[in-house]
Amino acid sequence: AQKVTQAQTEISVVEKEDVTLDCVYETRDTTYYLFWYKQPPSGELVFLIRRNSFDEQNEISGRYSWNFQKSTSSFNFTITASQVVDSAVYFCALRRGGANSKLTFGKGITLSVRP
Amino acid sequence: GAVVSQHPSRVICKSGTSVKIECRSLDFQATTMFWYRQFPKQSLMLMATSNEGSKATYEQGVEKDKFLINHASLTLSTLTVTSAHPEDSSFYICSASMAGGMGETQYFGPGTRLLVL
């Protein structure tokens, strides 16, 4: 069975602070994919990143960076110099390899960035 | 990026009526679409997987006669909530995976807020 744990439920920071959102996953598959999605108050899920199990390189995209470590089954997401527009619910998700396989979501982390 | 639309974005209906929600992939073909339900402050719950040209696969506990899914083309899937009741009020969101490949990203629509009075 697959499982995604986002232990943090709510995080509140002041603008310009750095913040890390944790994600720990469980799977018995050797091929799998990890995702982060952002859900702003409007409700739409915005795709942020996809990582496959064979690529442990960290990735940076502007103020966003991701740290994938198979040894600890973690896929953490860091926002540098947070902004008010970063306020949203962030979901980490996992899917096994293979066509049409389902996403397993974590419970989500509500991030509030105060001015 | 891939764009998925949903219509309507918000619907209010009376108890006992049926409501149809459309999910379209606008700039890509989607062999598979997924339907989720989300309650306030909770994660997404997968309801069913919709494959073009075949019957949908429903998750355990989801009534297939209550939530009818049709995936008639590579760009359109519909969810019909039949005989809606207040407990069906929720946020329904669809996603679509591009045809081909083994690790496709699911792109999500903007969601539909259903309120049953």
Side-chain angles (χ1 to χ4, degrees):
Chain A
Q2 300 192 102
K3 185 178 179 181
V4 175
T5 301
Q6 296 182 262
Q8 305 150 309
T9 54
E10 295 185 13
I11 300 175
S12 181
V13 299
V14 177
E15 207 169 18
K16 297 184 183 179
E17 285 186 18
D18 298 346
V19 58
T20 295
L21 311 180
D22 298 333
C23 174
V24 174
Y25 63 93
E26 296 177 30
T27 181
R28 293 181 180 178
D29 297 319
T30 54
T31 301
Y32 54 89
Y33 299 84
L34 293 161
F35 302 81
W36 276 95
Y37 288 91
K38 173 183 179 181
Q39 187 177 39
S42 61
E44 180 175 4
L45 262 75
V46 178
F47 165 72
L48 296 179
I49 190 171
R50 181 184 81 183
R51 225 29 172 182
N52 72 54
S53 52
F54 300 108
D55 183 3
E56 282 193 78
Q57 281 191 345
N58 293 329
E59 181 154 340
I60 298 175
S61 176
R63 296 184 297 108
Y64 295 171
S65 62
W66 290 269
N67 184 351
F68 176 28
Q69 292 195 348
K70 290 178 74 172
S71 60
T72 55
S73 296
S74 64
F75 186 43
N76 296 337
F77 173 29
T78 297
I79 301 175
T80 303
S82 60
Q83 299 176 1
V84 173
V85 293
D86 296 327
S87 297
V89 181
Y90 290 87
F91 290 98
C92 180
L94 165 71
R95 61 169 287 180
R96 55 170 33 125
N100 307 329
S101 55
K102 300 180 288 189
L103 277 173
T104 299
F105 281 91
K107 292 187 176 181
I109 302 170
T110 299
L111 174 64
S112 298
V113 182
R114 309 186 307 276
Chain B
V3 179
V4 177
S5 70
Q6 264 183 259
H7 178 79
S9 58
R10 186 182 298 267
V11 58
I12 301 174
C13 69
K14 293 182 178 180
S15 186
T17 60
S18 294
V19 175
K20 180 185 282 189
I21 303 170
E22 291 186 350
C23 178
R24 292 181 186 273
S25 56
L26 297 185
D27 52 0
F28 66 99
Q29 292 185 330
T31 49
T32 304
M33 291 184 173
F34 301 84
W35 287 95
Y36 296 84
R37 184 174 180 176
Q38 186 180 31
F39 292 105
K41 299 188 183 299
Q42 293 190 24
S43 189
L44 282 76
M45 181 190 78
L46 179 65
M47 298 174 66
T49 302
S50 168
N51 293 299
E52 186 264 338
S54 63
K55 290 184 178 180
T57 302
Y58 289 82
E59 294 301 298
Q60 191 173 10
V62 178
E63 300 175 59
K64 60 181 180 181
D65 295 331
K66 171 78 171 174
F67 300 99
L68 300 178
I69 291 173
N70 183 276
H71 193 157
S73 76
L74 285 173
T75 59
L76 173 65
S77 176
T78 60
L79 168 67
T80 301
V81 183
T82 62
S83 187
H85 291 283
E87 58 266 30
D88 298 324
S89 300
S90 190
F91 186 59
Y92 292 87
I93 188 165
C94 72
S95 70
S97 291
M98 290 186 185
M102 301 295 279
E104 312 90 24
T105 296
Q106 285 187 31
Y107 295 94
F108 286 81
T112 297
R113 295 192 187 279
L114 171 64
L115 177 61
V116 184
L117 302 176

